[in-house]
Amino acid sequence: MPLAALLLSALPGLLPAQGATTAAGDSSDADARAGRAVVAFTLHEPDLIPEGIAYDPVDGTFFVGSTWRRKIVAVDSQGRSRDFTSEAQDGLWGVVGLRVDPARRLLWAATSHAGAGMPMMNEPAGELGHAGLFAWRIPDGRLVSRFLLAASDGGHFLNDVVVTPDGAAYVTDSQGRSVFVARPEADSLEVFARLDSVAFPNGIDLSADGARLYVAVEGGLRRIELATGEVAPVTLAGGIVVAGIDGLYAHRGGLIAVQPWEEGRAVERYVLDPSGSRVVASCPVLAAHETLLQPTTGAVVGDDLFLVANSQLQLFRALREEGRAPHDGELRRPVVLRVALGSTGECPA
């Protein structure tokens, strides 16, 4: 089924939708708008089941990945949408994390076969636990790199990805409790860091100074020094609890976390101390919104977070476990929200 035209009108009862052309603007009143959420755009296919989103600052394009349909959709700065990859192109499994390398004009994607945990159409036999990190050239979608991990060594779930200024792509392996790196000119992934056995590495981002990676794990955060690969916990000031985090993003001296399972704290700010090693405060950025149904990841553009609001992954998985396709109306059209983060990086006093 081809992707229909992008819907530029807001859902009923919401503020007017903001087109992708406004992505990097309107930030002069960012502090006053902090926490405000409006619909940025809505996609047509209810069973897209999006997980990852990335933004290209060169031409204003957003990329949205589909777990079920095993493809990537591009939405340009004029609001026009197209399939950037076709379904299962180049051997894609479910598409998870996405990140643009603007300097090299590449889109990186983590893709994994998680079986019933993340259903996908036309599931290939014998590939459960396989995963890969792919890169395509922007804008034509020509495959440039493909790094594959087989299930023979215990299975993998490549989850989220970040690209450093030197062109290295780092990706979390949730099942393997590791972070892999694809270095420029390399022909295979290498293990960059191994995390503790209870960790479930998910969201990942680069610190503002480029010195370390921040990784979301089960019930906490880790920091990994890029120069040495040393892994250490991000400690928490008294009373602060880190919930289950999916997407994780550095922003103005702290971290913005997407928390799909935390009622009233769908998007949270974690304020870091000057060393970047301790969370000293936390506060919700987005507590609730009528479009939210398992939000997953986002893309930070200036002082805004463009958030996949309703991945519907858990609902879709439950329907599949019942052995049936969703009825009309059971799944909603995918919504991307524009959430104002504010320009101070602080929590209200």
mmCIF file of all heavy atoms in Angstrom, residues 263-298:
data_model
loop_
_atom_site.group_PDB
_atom_site.id
_atom_site.type_symbol
_atom_site.label_atom_id
_atom_site.label_comp_id
_atom_site.label_asym_id
_atom_site.label_seq_id
_atom_site.Cartn_x
_atom_site.Cartn_y
_atom_site.Cartn_z
ATOM 1 N N GLU A 263 3.244 7.245 33.462
ATOM 2 C CA GLU A 263 2.057 8.088 33.370
ATOM 3 C C GLU A 263 2.349 9.467 33.967
ATOM 4 O O GLU A 263 2.894 9.593 35.062
ATOM 5 C CB GLU A 263 0.887 7.443 34.106
ATOM 6 C CG GLU A 263 -0.433 8.182 33.947
ATOM 7 C CD GLU A 263 -1.599 7.446 34.543
ATOM 8 O OE1 GLU A 263 -1.416 6.289 34.987
ATOM 9 O OE2 GLU A 263 -2.702 8.023 34.582
ATOM 10 N N GLY A 264 1.993 10.502 33.231
ATOM 11 C CA GLY A 264 2.200 11.862 33.693
ATOM 12 C C GLY A 264 3.594 12.402 33.452
ATOM 13 O O GLY A 264 3.869 13.567 33.760
ATOM 14 N N ARG A 265 4.483 11.612 32.896
ATOM 15 C CA ARG A 265 5.857 12.054 32.629
ATOM 16 C C ARG A 265 6.316 11.461 31.298
ATOM 17 O O ARG A 265 7.366 10.821 31.218
ATOM 18 C CB ARG A 265 6.790 11.641 33.762
ATOM 19 C CG ARG A 265 6.329 12.069 35.129
ATOM 20 C CD ARG A 265 7.253 11.585 36.234
ATOM 21 N NE ARG A 265 8.369 12.502 36.445
ATOM 22 C CZ ARG A 265 8.353 13.491 37.321
ATOM 23 N NH1 ARG A 265 7.269 13.732 38.036
ATOM 24 N NH2 ARG A 265 9.406 14.267 37.482
ATOM 25 N N ALA A 266 5.534 11.681 30.250
ATOM 26 C CA ALA A 266 5.845 11.090 28.951
ATOM 27 C C ALA A 266 7.175 11.583 28.415
ATOM 28 O O ALA A 266 7.938 10.830 27.804
ATOM 29 C CB ALA A 266 4.731 11.404 27.953
ATOM 30 N N VAL A 267 7.459 12.857 28.618
ATOM 31 C CA VAL A 267 8.762 13.428 28.255
ATOM 32 C C VAL A 267 9.308 14.110 29.498
ATOM 33 O O VAL A 267 8.650 14.969 30.075
ATOM 34 C CB VAL A 267 8.659 14.432 27.089
ATOM 35 C CG1 VAL A 267 10.037 15.018 26.774
ATOM 36 C CG2 VAL A 267 8.065 13.766 25.851
ATOM 37 N N GLU A 268 10.505 13.726 29.902
ATOM 38 C CA GLU A 268 11.098 14.200 31.154
ATOM 39 C C GLU A 268 12.433 14.893 30.864
ATOM 40 O O GLU A 268 13.177 14.490 29.968
ATOM 41 C CB GLU A 268 11.343 13.007 32.087
ATOM 42 C CG GLU A 268 11.817 13.372 33.482
ATOM 43 C CD GLU A 268 10.696 13.699 34.445
ATOM 44 O OE1 GLU A 268 9.531 13.758 33.984
ATOM 45 O OE2 GLU A 268 10.976 13.889 35.633
ATOM 46 N N ARG A 269 12.718 15.931 31.646
ATOM 47 C CA ARG A 269 14.030 16.572 31.603
ATOM 48 C C ARG A 269 14.848 16.118 32.812
ATOM 49 O O ARG A 269 14.382 16.186 33.953
ATOM 50 C CB ARG A 269 13.913 18.096 31.636
ATOM 51 C CG ARG A 269 15.279 18.802 31.602
ATOM 52 C CD ARG A 269 15.145 20.312 31.790
ATOM 53 N NE ARG A 269 14.293 20.894 30.783
ATOM 54 C CZ ARG A 269 14.653 21.184 29.544
ATOM 55 N NH1 ARG A 269 15.896 20.907 29.152
ATOM 56 N NH2 ARG A 269 13.815 21.711 28.690
ATOM 57 N N TYR A 270 16.073 15.659 32.568
ATOM 58 C CA TYR A 270 17.023 15.337 33.625
ATOM 59 C C TYR A 270 18.164 16.345 33.542
ATOM 60 O O TYR A 270 18.904 16.375 32.557
ATOM 61 C CB TYR A 270 17.538 13.903 33.478
ATOM 62 C CG TYR A 270 16.462 12.865 33.720
ATOM 63 C CD1 TYR A 270 15.829 12.229 32.653
ATOM 64 C CD2 TYR A 270 16.062 12.547 35.007
ATOM 65 C CE1 TYR A 270 14.827 11.293 32.877
ATOM 66 C CE2 TYR A 270 15.063 11.609 35.240
ATOM 67 C CZ TYR A 270 14.451 10.990 34.171
ATOM 68 O OH TYR A 270 13.451 10.064 34.396
ATOM 69 N N VAL A 271 18.281 17.176 34.564
ATOM 70 C CA VAL A 271 19.302 18.221 34.600
ATOM 71 C C VAL A 271 20.598 17.631 35.162
ATOM 72 O O VAL A 271 20.595 17.007 36.230
ATOM 73 C CB VAL A 271 18.835 19.409 35.466
ATOM 74 C CG1 VAL A 271 19.894 20.506 35.487
ATOM 75 C CG2 VAL A 271 17.508 19.962 34.945
ATOM 76 N N LEU A 272 21.703 17.844 34.454
ATOM 77 C CA LEU A 272 22.998 17.303 34.863
ATOM 78 C C LEU A 272 23.836 18.367 35.557
ATOM 79 O O LEU A 272 23.704 19.570 35.283
ATOM 80 C CB LEU A 272 23.761 16.779 33.646
ATOM 81 C CG LEU A 272 23.130 15.608 32.891
ATOM 82 C CD1 LEU A 272 23.850 15.383 31.568
ATOM 83 C CD2 LEU A 272 23.148 14.339 33.728
ATOM 84 N N ASP A 273 24.728 17.922 36.421
ATOM 85 C CA ASP A 273 25.696 18.839 37.026
ATOM 86 C C ASP A 273 26.761 19.211 35.993
ATOM 87 O O ASP A 273 26.791 18.647 34.886
ATOM 88 C CB ASP A 273 26.302 18.242 38.292
ATOM 89 C CG ASP A 273 27.244 17.066 38.024
ATOM 90 O OD1 ASP A 273 27.467 16.717 36.843
ATOM 91 O OD2 ASP A 273 27.740 16.473 38.993
ATOM 92 N N PRO A 274 27.628 20.192 36.275
ATOM 93 C CA PRO A 274 28.609 20.632 35.269
ATOM 94 C C PRO A 274 29.528 19.532 34.762
ATOM 95 O O PRO A 274 30.025 19.606 33.628
ATOM 96 C CB PRO A 274 29.393 21.714 36.013
ATOM 97 C CG PRO A 274 28.414 22.263 37.015
ATOM 98 C CD PRO A 274 27.626 21.069 37.458
ATOM 99 N N SER A 275 29.763 18.491 35.565
ATOM 100 C CA SER A 275 30.630 17.403 35.114
ATOM 101 C C SER A 275 29.919 16.438 34.181
ATOM 102 O O SER A 275 30.568 15.608 33.534
ATOM 103 C CB SER A 275 31.164 16.628 36.320
ATOM 104 O OG SER A 275 30.132 15.826 36.912
ATOM 105 N N GLY A 276 28.602 16.524 34.136
ATOM 106 C CA GLY A 276 27.825 15.610 33.306
ATOM 107 C C GLY A 276 27.713 14.214 33.860
ATOM 108 O O GLY A 276 27.298 13.291 33.147
ATOM 109 N N SER A 277 28.028 14.036 35.136
ATOM 110 C CA SER A 277 28.050 12.697 35.727
ATOM 111 C C SER A 277 26.942 12.456 36.742
ATOM 112 O O SER A 277 26.817 11.346 37.252
ATOM 113 C CB SER A 277 29.401 12.453 36.406
ATOM 114 O OG SER A 277 29.607 13.376 37.462
ATOM 115 N N ARG A 278 26.126 13.478 37.035
ATOM 116 C CA ARG A 278 25.120 13.345 38.077
ATOM 117 C C ARG A 278 23.859 14.110 37.685
ATOM 118 O O ARG A 278 23.935 15.246 37.188
ATOM 119 C CB ARG A 278 25.658 13.890 39.398
ATOM 120 C CG ARG A 278 24.705 13.776 40.594
ATOM 121 C CD ARG A 278 25.415 14.210 41.868
ATOM 122 N NE ARG A 278 24.556 14.209 43.034
ATOM 123 C CZ ARG A 278 24.269 13.125 43.756
ATOM 124 N NH1 ARG A 278 24.775 11.956 43.394
ATOM 125 N NH2 ARG A 278 23.487 13.191 44.813
ATOM 126 N N VAL A 279 22.703 13.485 37.881
ATOM 127 C CA VAL A 279 21.420 14.157 37.687
ATOM 128 C C VAL A 279 21.079 14.896 38.973
ATOM 129 O O VAL A 279 20.999 14.290 40.044
ATOM 130 C CB VAL A 279 20.308 13.160 37.338
ATOM 131 C CG1 VAL A 279 18.949 13.864 37.288
ATOM 132 C CG2 VAL A 279 20.588 12.474 36.005
ATOM 133 N N VAL A 280 20.908 16.207 38.878
ATOM 134 C CA VAL A 280 20.654 17.009 40.072
ATOM 135 C C VAL A 280 19.206 17.463 40.178
ATOM 136 O O VAL A 280 18.782 17.931 41.235
ATOM 137 C CB VAL A 280 21.594 18.229 40.106
ATOM 138 C CG1 VAL A 280 23.042 17.774 40.236
ATOM 139 C CG2 VAL A 280 21.421 19.104 38.866
ATOM 140 N N ALA A 281 18.443 17.333 39.106
ATOM 141 C CA ALA A 281 17.027 17.699 39.142
ATOM 142 C C ALA A 281 16.321 17.011 37.983
ATOM 143 O O ALA A 281 16.947 16.645 36.983
ATOM 144 C CB ALA A 281 16.851 19.209 39.045
ATOM 145 N N SER A 282 15.013 16.837 38.131
ATOM 146 C CA SER A 282 14.215 16.288 37.035
ATOM 147 C C SER A 282 12.822 16.889 37.090
ATOM 148 O O SER A 282 12.340 17.283 38.161
ATOM 149 C CB SER A 282 14.133 14.755 37.112
ATOM 150 O OG SER A 282 13.372 14.338 38.225
ATOM 151 N N CYS A 283 12.185 16.967 35.939
ATOM 152 C CA CYS A 283 10.837 17.522 35.869
ATOM 153 C C CYS A 283 10.195 17.099 34.558
ATOM 154 O O CYS A 283 10.878 16.869 33.560
ATOM 155 C CB CYS A 283 10.864 19.043 35.969
ATOM 156 S SG CYS A 283 11.960 19.842 34.761
ATOM 157 N N PRO A 284 8.867 16.952 34.546
ATOM 158 C CA PRO A 284 8.195 16.588 33.294
ATOM 159 C C PRO A 284 8.157 17.756 32.325
ATOM 160 O O PRO A 284 7.917 18.900 32.710
ATOM 161 C CB PRO A 284 6.781 16.201 33.757
ATOM 162 C CG PRO A 284 6.586 16.921 35.052
ATOM 163 C CD PRO A 284 7.938 17.026 35.682
ATOM 164 N N VAL A 285 8.422 17.460 31.053
ATOM 165 C CA VAL A 285 8.258 18.431 29.987
ATOM 166 C C VAL A 285 6.875 18.274 29.370
ATOM 167 O O VAL A 285 6.170 19.251 29.134
ATOM 168 C CB VAL A 285 9.349 18.256 28.913
ATOM 169 C CG1 VAL A 285 9.098 19.178 27.719
ATOM 170 C CG2 VAL A 285 10.726 18.530 29.498
ATOM 171 N N LEU A 286 6.493 17.035 29.124
ATOM 172 C CA LEU A 286 5.160 16.726 28.595
ATOM 173 C C LEU A 286 4.543 15.675 29.499
ATOM 174 O O LEU A 286 5.040 14.541 29.570
ATOM 175 C CB LEU A 286 5.247 16.216 27.153
ATOM 176 C CG LEU A 286 3.908 15.872 26.481
ATOM 177 C CD1 LEU A 286 3.035 17.109 26.329
ATOM 178 C CD2 LEU A 286 4.136 15.216 25.128
ATOM 179 N N ALA A 287 3.493 16.064 30.190
ATOM 180 C CA ALA A 287 2.858 15.138 31.119
ATOM 181 C C ALA A 287 1.853 14.244 30.407
ATOM 182 O O ALA A 287 1.800 13.033 30.646
ATOM 183 C CB ALA A 287 2.171 15.916 32.241
ATOM 184 N N ALA A 288 1.055 14.826 29.522
ATOM 185 C CA ALA A 288 -0.002 14.065 28.859
ATOM 186 C C ALA A 288 -0.422 14.802 27.592
ATOM 187 O O ALA A 288 -0.199 16.005 27.448
ATOM 188 C CB ALA A 288 -1.197 13.896 29.791
ATOM 189 N N HIS A 289 -1.024 14.053 26.692
ATOM 190 C CA HIS A 289 -1.587 14.625 25.466
ATOM 191 C C HIS A 289 -2.530 13.580 24.894
ATOM 192 O O HIS A 289 -2.267 12.375 24.991
ATOM 193 C CB HIS A 289 -0.482 14.963 24.462
ATOM 194 C CG HIS A 289 -0.941 15.848 23.346
ATOM 195 N ND1 HIS A 289 -1.575 15.377 22.219
ATOM 196 C CD2 HIS A 289 -0.866 17.197 23.191
ATOM 197 C CE1 HIS A 289 -1.850 16.386 21.410
ATOM 198 N NE2 HIS A 289 -1.439 17.502 21.973
ATOM 199 N N GLU A 290 -3.623 14.039 24.305
ATOM 200 C CA GLU A 290 -4.645 13.091 23.862
ATOM 201 C C GLU A 290 -4.170 12.180 22.734
ATOM 202 O O GLU A 290 -4.775 11.134 22.479
ATOM 203 C CB GLU A 290 -5.914 13.822 23.419
ATOM 204 C CG GLU A 290 -5.716 14.749 22.232
ATOM 205 C CD GLU A 290 -6.966 15.544 21.939
ATOM 206 O OE1 GLU A 290 -7.195 16.556 22.628
ATOM 207 O OE2 GLU A 290 -7.713 15.135 21.025
ATOM 208 N N THR A 291 -3.082 12.511 22.063
ATOM 209 C CA THR A 291 -2.583 11.660 20.985
ATOM 210 C C THR A 291 -1.643 10.565 21.482
ATOM 211 O O THR A 291 -1.311 9.654 20.723
ATOM 212 C CB THR A 291 -1.823 12.493 19.936
ATOM 213 O OG1 THR A 291 -0.684 13.096 20.557
ATOM 214 C CG2 THR A 291 -2.714 13.563 19.339
ATOM 215 N N LEU A 292 -1.183 10.632 22.724
ATOM 216 C CA LEU A 292 -0.153 9.708 23.199
ATOM 217 C C LEU A 292 -0.679 8.285 23.302
ATOM 218 O O LEU A 292 -1.701 8.021 23.927
ATOM 219 C CB LEU A 292 0.383 10.152 24.560
ATOM 220 C CG LEU A 292 1.163 11.478 24.593
ATOM 221 C CD1 LEU A 292 1.589 11.796 26.019
ATOM 222 C CD2 LEU A 292 2.373 11.425 23.665
ATOM 223 N N LEU A 293 0.051 7.362 22.691
ATOM 224 C CA LEU A 293 -0.215 5.930 22.819
ATOM 225 C C LEU A 293 1.111 5.209 22.571
ATOM 226 O O LEU A 293 1.458 4.881 21.457
ATOM 227 C CB LEU A 293 -1.284 5.458 21.837
ATOM 228 C CG LEU A 293 -1.763 4.011 22.004
ATOM 229 C CD1 LEU A 293 -2.322 3.776 23.406
ATOM 230 C CD2 LEU A 293 -2.804 3.667 20.953
ATOM 231 N N GLN A 294 1.865 5.031 23.622
ATOM 232 C CA GLN A 294 3.227 4.533 23.619
ATOM 233 C C GLN A 294 4.125 5.391 22.726
ATOM 234 O O GLN A 294 4.581 4.959 21.662
ATOM 235 C CB GLN A 294 3.345 3.070 23.217
ATOM 236 C CG GLN A 294 4.703 2.476 23.640
ATOM 237 C CD GLN A 294 4.956 1.083 23.123
ATOM 238 O OE1 GLN A 294 4.067 0.431 22.599
ATOM 239 N NE2 GLN A 294 6.194 0.621 23.284
ATOM 240 N N PRO A 295 4.442 6.606 23.183
ATOM 241 C CA PRO A 295 5.462 7.389 22.485
ATOM 242 C C PRO A 295 6.800 6.676 22.559
ATOM 243 O O PRO A 295 7.070 5.952 23.523
ATOM 244 C CB PRO A 295 5.481 8.714 23.262
ATOM 245 C CG PRO A 295 5.017 8.339 24.637
ATOM 246 C CD PRO A 295 4.009 7.239 24.428
ATOM 247 N N THR A 296 7.636 6.880 21.578
ATOM 248 C CA THR A 296 8.884 6.113 21.531
ATOM 249 C C THR A 296 10.114 7.003 21.482
ATOM 250 O O THR A 296 10.874 7.070 22.444
ATOM 251 C CB THR A 296 8.890 5.162 20.323
ATOM 252 O OG1 THR A 296 8.569 5.914 19.140
ATOM 253 C CG2 THR A 296 7.909 4.021 20.514
ATOM 254 N N THR A 297 10.332 7.669 20.367
ATOM 255 C CA THR A 297 11.546 8.445 20.187
ATOM 256 C C THR A 297 11.203 9.814 19.614
ATOM 257 O O THR A 297 10.061 10.088 19.244
ATOM 258 C CB THR A 297 12.532 7.731 19.250
ATOM 259 O OG1 THR A 297 11.934 7.600 17.958
ATOM 260 C CG2 THR A 297 12.898 6.361 19.783
ATOM 261 N N GLY A 298 12.230 10.653 19.519
ATOM 262 C CA GLY A 298 12.027 11.987 18.980
ATOM 263 C C GLY A 298 13.267 12.473 18.261
ATOM 264 O O GLY A 298 14.283 11.781 18.175
#
